[in-house]
Amino acid sequence: MEIKLSEQQKRNQTAFRDFVNKEIIPHANQHDKEERIPDELIKKLARKRYFGAVLPEQYGGHAMDYITYGLLNEELGRGCASVRAFMMMQNMVALTIHKWGSEEQKERWLGRIASGETIAAFALTEPEVGSDAMHIETSFTDADDSKFIINGHKKWITLGQIADLFLVFGKKRGKLSAVLVEKDTPGLTKIPIGGMLGVRASMLAELYFDNCSVPQENLVGRAGFGFVPVGITALNLGRYSIAWGCVGIGQACLEACINYASNRRQFGDYLKNHQLIQEMIADMTVNLKAGRLLCYQAGQMQEEGHENAIMEIMVAKYFTSKMACTIASNAVQVHGAVGCSSDSAVQRHLRDAKIMEIIEGTSQIHQIKIADYAYREYAE
Amino acid sequence: MNDRKTRIKTFLVRYIRNYELNDDTDIFGGGLVNSLFAMQLITFLEKEFTITIEDRDLKLDNFRTINAMDNLIENKT
């Protein structure tokens, strides 16, 4: 077994890193304070074809392999969790349409998402339904053979404030289903949500569907297959993105600590020479390497179409989100009062890291699934 | 049992333990599997038999039994 990036992957990694250093990091705290991502940056991300990162070139995509896509997520995550989440959301919806959508849906939407002309969002969560997706209350009621009516309430929807297209989950004749809904659909109301703990520039919204009439052909996949496989296709890619994004958060914190501890003097010596600081740096380094290896393994399995890739992605996301929280917390500790300032990046990373333990499957849901996986894989 | 059915059964018994699985056992109706398994099953079938499961294949009856999956693969290859 060899873990080694190809020359092309290395070139992409360098390009991603340069882009993040130049276009994202200098402004990331501002995104956080203003709770939005500037249009100009969205255009730059689109021009790089990052919104169609996993789409084939025929749709204007980048046709990245999963390792390259992981590297992109690490670098964006190192810069700004909200920007990474923006890019993730476009790819989640695009991949899902590509895999399970009709030819008409692919032709209509994929090129637009890849180019940034259409901003897409994933609308699963409801006020009363988070982890327990099977009990979604939003209803899709047949009006006639050509249309159905949506009624329901979605909450905490990333990019809900600005999205042009929503992949909405609900029940059609009691069966979980997924449908594409355009932003101008009569009866759809968006209410912005602000003041969140972290990933503050992800422009969350509540969505109210009040007798929204939608064409039957907007269904993605068939009625009854909305969560599996349609929703899980998106969530799996989302978890993979988050896992790598957490590696990026950890890397940003480690680099910040190394820089700070190398220049800050206390008790007549640099922080880096104090053993309790060294302990934190060592633990950050080791856990970051372990998390990155889990991501590489999961990415390679996903690339190969291995049936356990979905579980290895869960393992990676569970580990790296926990890791990112610990690393970011210790990074604030290393920086002291400086790390608590709103001008500091590490306090933003700490708040963002906490969100990663909750979204796209909480750590506790992941633990249940990982335990099931262990009983299956290791039982005699 | 043909080779395809044997390969499908070998995969299934890793998930469905302590149960006598035959070619007509309804793995979904019997509550033997969960939603993540269903996704893994699709991934397995696609890779193992070099097929692509598409929107039009999404009918539970295509995946209920070993025989049904064997027929689906037969029709796609």
Side-chain angles (χ1 to χ4, degrees):
Chain A
M1 182 178 182
E2 186 179 30
I3 300 172
K4 186 180 177 185
L5 297 179
S6 69
E7 290 306 312
Q8 183 60 47
Q9 287 168 333
K10 285 181 193 170
R11 282 194 293 276
N12 279 324
Q13 185 180 37
T14 301
F16 302 153
R17 192 171 178 87
D18 290 347
F19 177 80
V20 169
N21 286 345
K22 182 181 174 196
E23 304 289 353
I24 297 179
I25 289 177
H27 314 291
N29 278 1
Q30 200 65 22
H31 305 159
D32 183 66
K33 286 173 185 167
E34 294 177 357
E35 300 195 12
R36 72 179 295 110
I37 296 168
D39 291 344
E40 191 51 42
L41 177 56
I42 296 171
K43 287 176 187 162
K44 286 177 182 172
L45 291 161
R47 281 200 291 273
K48 290 282 184 184
R49 291 185 291 152
Y50 293 163
F51 295 157
V54 298
L55 285 180
E57 290 177 353
Q58 72 178 99
Y59 296 111
H62 213 297
M64 288 182 194
D65 61 81
Y66 278 91
I67 296 298
T68 303
Y69 183 61
L71 298 173
L72 173 61
N73 278 278
E74 177 181 346
E75 290 305 325
L76 293 179
R78 185 175 62 83
C80 174
S82 297
V83 172
R84 186 203 51 75
F86 195 119
M87 188 277 304
M88 171 189 80
M89 197 53 63
Q90 303 320 298
N91 281 282
M92 282 171 65
V93 176
L95 178 73
T96 305
I97 294 173
H98 182 248
K99 176 64 183 167
W100 302 114
S102 65
E103 286 306 316
E104 293 73 20
Q105 289 167 350
K106 292 178 199 177
E107 287 303 319
R108 181 166 184 198
W109 295 115
L110 294 184
R112 294 181 187 184
I113 294 172
S115 70
E117 180 186 345
T118 293
I119 303 299
F122 182 82
L124 175 68
T125 306
E126 300 181 352
E128 303 302 327
V129 177
S131 300
D132 189 9
M134 296 302 168
H135 289 94
I136 274 176
E137 293 171 355
T138 296
S139 63
F140 302 164
T141 307
D142 289 324
D144 52 42
D145 287 345
S146 66
K147 289 179 179 171
F148 58 89
I149 306 297
I150 305 179
N151 280 292
H153 179 191
K154 298 290 180 183
K155 197 167 185 182
W156 318 118
I157 305 305
T158 297
L159 305 181
Q161 295 176 27
I162 64 163
D164 304 297
L165 182 70
F166 297 91
L167 181 60
V168 181
F169 294 81
K171 285 195 172 164
K172 191 170 190 286
R173 296 192 288 271
K175 296 175 177 177
L176 249 172
S177 308
V179 66
L180 293 168
V181 180
E182 295 181 55
K183 69 173 179 181
D184 296 329
T185 303
L188 171 57
T189 306
K190 302 185 276 186
I191 308 291
I193 300 173
M196 296 297 286
L197 172 70
V199 201
R200 285 184 154 183
S202 53
M203 296 175 275
L204 301 184
E206 288 187 67
L207 309 176
Y208 289 88
F209 297 89
D210 183 13
N211 290 317
C212 291
S213 178
V214 176
Q216 295 276 5
E217 62 258 29
N218 282 22
L219 270 182
V220 179
R222 291 169 182 254
F225 292 88
F227 193 64
V228 182
V230 177
I232 289 201
T233 297
L235 289 169
N236 187 49
L237 188 70
R239 289 173 187 143
Y240 183 63
S241 168
I242 291 166
W244 274 104
C246 287
V247 172
I249 288 174
Q251 184 69 33
C253 289
L254 175 61
E255 290 174 11
C257 287
I258 286 173
N259 183 50
Y260 188 76
S262 300
N263 291 292
R264 170 84 167 167
R265 292 175 71 97
Q266 290 291 284
F267 302 105
D269 202 354
Y270 290 109
L271 289 190
K272 70 174 188 176
N273 295 325
H274 292 275
Q275 288 189 330
L276 290 178
I277 300 293
Q278 290 172 346
E279 180 191 29
M280 284 192 274
I281 298 291
D283 285 350
M284 286 180 196
T285 304
V286 171
N287 282 301
L288 199 47
K289 284 178 179 288
R292 190 179 278 113
L293 283 172
L294 286 175
C295 288
Y296 275 128
Q297 177 182 260
Q300 190 57 37
M301 290 173 76
Q302 183 72 20
E303 184 67 26
E304 293 169 359
H306 194 291
E307 69 264 18
N308 282 344
I310 191 169
M311 296 310 307
E312 293 297 333
I313 285 173
M314 276 198 180
V315 169
K317 193 264 185 183
Y318 170 65
F319 181 88
T320 58
S321 59
K322 198 172 179 180
M323 171 206 80
C325 275
T326 304
I327 290 178
S329 176
N330 283 335
V332 171
Q333 195 69 24
V334 168
H335 283 73
V338 169
C340 299
S341 160
S342 64
D343 294 330
S344 148
V346 291
Q347 56 81 28
R348 170 171 51 81
H349 290 311
L350 175 58
R351 290 185 287 104
D352 290 345
K354 186 59 204 172
I355 305 298
M356 305 307 160
E357 290 192 307
I358 296 168
I359 57 173
E360 259 69 320
T362 64
S363 289
Q364 289 67 39
I365 293 293
H366 277 60
Q367 285 173 301
I368 292 167
K369 301 298 183 190
I370 291 166
D372 285 347
Y373 179 46
Y375 281 114
R376 192 180 71 230
E377 289 296 301
Y378 305 121
E380 290 183 1
Chain B
M1 186 181 277
N2 68 27
D3 173 58
R4 277 199 307 263
K5 290 184 184 179
T6 304
R7 287 151 71 188
I8 296 168
K9 187 170 183 178
T10 301
F11 171 77
L12 292 177
V13 295
R14 287 175 49 211
Y15 294 81
I16 304 169
R17 292 172 184 270
N18 305 317
Y19 192 91
E20 191 59 40
L21 197 63
N22 60 48
D23 290 359
D24 285 320
T25 303
D26 182 347
I27 61 172
F28 289 102
L32 299 171
V33 296
N34 61 23
S35 58
L36 275 180
F37 164 81
M39 195 71 210
Q40 290 181 279
L41 175 62
I42 289 172
T43 308
F44 164 77
L45 293 173
E46 288 190 323
K47 186 182 181 198
E48 184 73 15
F49 301 102
T50 323
I51 59 172
T52 302
I53 308 284
E54 299 165 278
D55 172 31
R56 61 176 170 269
D57 303 318
L58 294 181
K59 299 170 191 160
L60 212 49
D61 286 345
N62 279 334
F63 303 95
R64 277 191 194 285
T65 66
I66 292 173
N67 279 336
M69 288 183 256
D70 184 51
N71 285 336
L72 174 68
I73 298 160
E74 173 75 28
N75 291 335
K76 293 186 77 71
T77 50

